Structure formats: C-alpha cells, structure tokens
Amino acid sequence: MSASVNSLINRPILASIHSHAFQHNLNRVRELAPESKIWSVIKARAYGHCFEAALKGLESTDGFALLDIQDAVWLRENDWEGRILLLEGLFHESEMDLSQQLHCDLVVHCEAQIEWLERYADKVHKPISVFLKMNTGMNRLGLKPAAYRTAFHRLHAAGYRMHHMTHFANADQIDRQPTVDSQLELFNQTIEGLEAPTSLANSAAILWHRNALGDWVRPGIMLYGASPTGLYSDIEHAHLKAVMQLQSEIIDIQDLQAGDRIGYGGRYEASENMRIGIVACGYADGYPRQAKDGAPVWVGDDSKAGGGIICPIVGRVSMDMLSVDLRNAPNAKIGSIVELWGDQVPVDEVARMSDTIGYELLCAVAPRVPVVIK
Ligand SMILES: Cc1ncc(COP(=O)(O)O)c(C=O)c1O
C-alpha cells in the first residue's frame, strides 16, 4: 500500500496548503502591478485555505482585506502588524472602538457608516484610513456618484485619511455591461480634483485590465492559483500555482460487468467490463455533488515515482465517497492516492464539470477535512 495521504487519522482525506505557491502567486501580482500596493483578500477563511496558511504564505503582502472584525482580532493576536482592511466596513456602530484598537482601515459604503464615523471623529486618537466605496455600476455596495463627492468631503473634514474605491462587475468578461472601461470612466470623472489614493482592481482586472489597477490592488482568487473566469488556460498563461491540493485514497475497488450501474440513482452504466475505484471524498467534504461523469481526478501510480494519470469520475457523488473509472489506471489499487484538485487537476476544471466556479469549491471545503500547511 502507498504512503497514506494522512497518517494521523483513519479516514484518508487531506487538504495540503502550499505556502510556496502563495508566495509565488503574490510575486506574480507584484510583477503585474509593480506600482501598486497589495491588499491580499482573505475573506471566507482565506477562500477556504485557513487564515494560518494565508498569514504564513502571504506575509510579505502590504495588507490583508477581510470581512469580519473577529478575523482582524485573530490576525493581531497572531502578530500581524501590517494593515488590515475591513472590506465591508463596520456592520454595527458599536464596533468603532474595537476597529480603532485593532488599527483597521475601513471601507465606507453607505450613509449610516458615514454618520458613525462622523460621530466618532472626536474619539480618534490615531489616524484612520477610509476607503470610500463608489457604486460605478455593479449596484452591490457603494455610494452613487451623485452622493460621492459630498460624502468624501464630510469624512475628510472629520479628519479621516481618504482613499477612493470601486469594484468591477465584469473584469472577467469582455462584452458584458457595465464594462471595466465604463466603470473606470465614471469613477475618474467623479473623483476629479479629490486627491487621494485609489483601490480598484480584483484578480481579473489585475490580469487583463492594466489601465485599471489603482494604488492598491485587491487580488483574491489569483493568490490561490485559481481563475476568475473559470478557464484554467488563463491561469496557466499567468503562471499561477494551485495553493490547495485536496487528496484522498482509493478505499475499495469494484469489478463491474457491462451493464452494471454505479451508486445512487444508477446514473452511470458500465459499457464494458471495468474496474471502479471508490474514493474517500464526498459532498460532505466539499466535493460538488453536481459533478458530472467525466470530472477529472488524478490517480497516483506507485510503480512510477510521482507518476499518475487522470481518470474520470462516474456516477453520482455521495456524502462520503465518489467513484472513478480506472480503465486508464491498471496499476491503481486500494491505497492509491487520488488528487481531487491541486497541481494535477485544476479546481477550475472540476468547477466547470459541476456548473460552478473554483471560488465556490475552494470556500466550501468542509471543516471535517484536515488541513496541513506545507
Ligand atoms: C471588494 C472586493 N475586492 C476584491 C475582491 C477579490 O476578488 P477576486 O477574488 O475575484 O480577485 C473581492 C471578492 O469578491 C471583493 O469583494
């Protein structure tokens, strides 16, 4: 039997987080946006990679951008002394004191938040940076251009260090409205004459809209080595590396006769005699139940050092297991290592075969999957 993916526990499943890949991807962002500072976006437990791993792998970032003030507490408790941006600002006025203690930068996207900051202005003892968010067409968060300049002046007058910010709706698409160019034009018109650093670009803009970077870029998905468009080819082209490797093992093998069916619903019917590997990974681990027949996994081959081959999944993914067609892998046996996604199997490919995006799969890795930081 091959070395187990996880010798510490009985069930062989493991998410390995590769710090060197984090560093590599962060360096790629620096090469693509050499004039900009970097907010590394680590919301949703660092897109499912866990905060410990992000802190270790991305320690040379200029700042971390996240959602929940409790995650900022965690970063400070773990000796992060650099900048922290609360990406949606405060959710309650009562968080003002804590955010100041933690020395967080704040996104401000609505009138209520402006009023909280104005009321707090007398209690500010260290300058607080505000990233005032403009809604330039995405219509999610942010002040409409007509209200933006007044808001900027109010917060500036209250003593806050001002920055301009917006978010692109379609940096990963060419022909969808609003386009990056239309959002950028509105943004630039609105901030004319209001001197302050800017923050604009998410991963897709960093990769494909170099005219729209701003002074602070905000990469998320590209730091994790996955694609904003869902096309693995663009990630390969950008020389990004997968940070997470999700692995399991074959725990049983079934020999099927032509006409036999596999798993719940019998979705897949064997067209000939074939071997099926049963892998200890299911939707309760975060593998998508919607995965279609043909979604790729990589099956290790002990007879070739580091060798292995891509095989397709067949039949419906169940809670704790999935089934793999082993016709490509005659040497596969119980204990063979299987990569669900990582270096060999782009998470974007699994996402494509499951009608979703890599973001969702990475964020959804279940708490029951042990994580090791390498
Ligand atoms: C405001 C903001 N900036 C940046 C990002 C990072 O986006 P991406 O992961 O596509 O790079 C996000 C993520 O959704 C976001 O909400």
Side-chain angles (χ1 to χ4, degrees), residues 186-221:
L186 189 53
F187 180 80
N188 285 335
Q189 274 168 10
T190 309
I191 66 170
E192 208 175 312
L194 301 177
E195 268 314 301
T198 57
S199 178
L200 302 165
N202 55 2
S203 298
I206 295 165
L207 290 166
W208 301 299
H209 300 275
R210 307 294 246 295
N211 59 332
L213 295 178
D215 298 300
W216 283 86
V217 291
R218 302 191 307 272
I221 196 73

Side-chain angles (χ1 to χ4, degrees), residues 200-268:
L200 302 165
N202 55 2
S203 298
I206 295 165
L207 290 166
W208 301 299
H209 300 275
R210 307 294 246 295
N211 59 332
L213 295 178
D215 298 300
W216 283 86
V217 291
R218 302 191 307 272
I221 196 73
M222 68 183 290
L223 293 174
Y224 306 95
S227 163
T229 60
L231 295 176
Y232 177 66
S233 51
D234 50 49
I235 288 309
E236 216 174 5
H237 184 68
H239 304 294
L240 298 173
K241 291 186 179 166
V243 175
M244 183 192 291
Q245 184 183 33
L246 181 64
Q247 288 177 306
S248 179
E249 287 177 15
I250 294 178
I251 57 168
D252 198 358
I253 293 198
Q254 297 291 339
D255 289 307
L256 265 54
Q257 307 292 310
D260 286 350
R261 290 179 175 273
I262 298 172
Y264 290 118
R267 181 176 79 183
Y268 183 83

Side-chain angles (χ1 to χ4, degrees), residues 261-264 266-269 289 291-294 312-318 321-324:
R261 290 179 175 273
I262 298 172
Y264 290 118
R267 181 176 79 183
Y268 183 83
E269 180 181 339
R289 184 174 176 276
K292 301 186 179 94
D293 292 341
I313 74 156
V314 283
R316 207 183 268 170
V317 173
S318 54
M321 284 169 274
L322 54 80
S323 333
V324 177

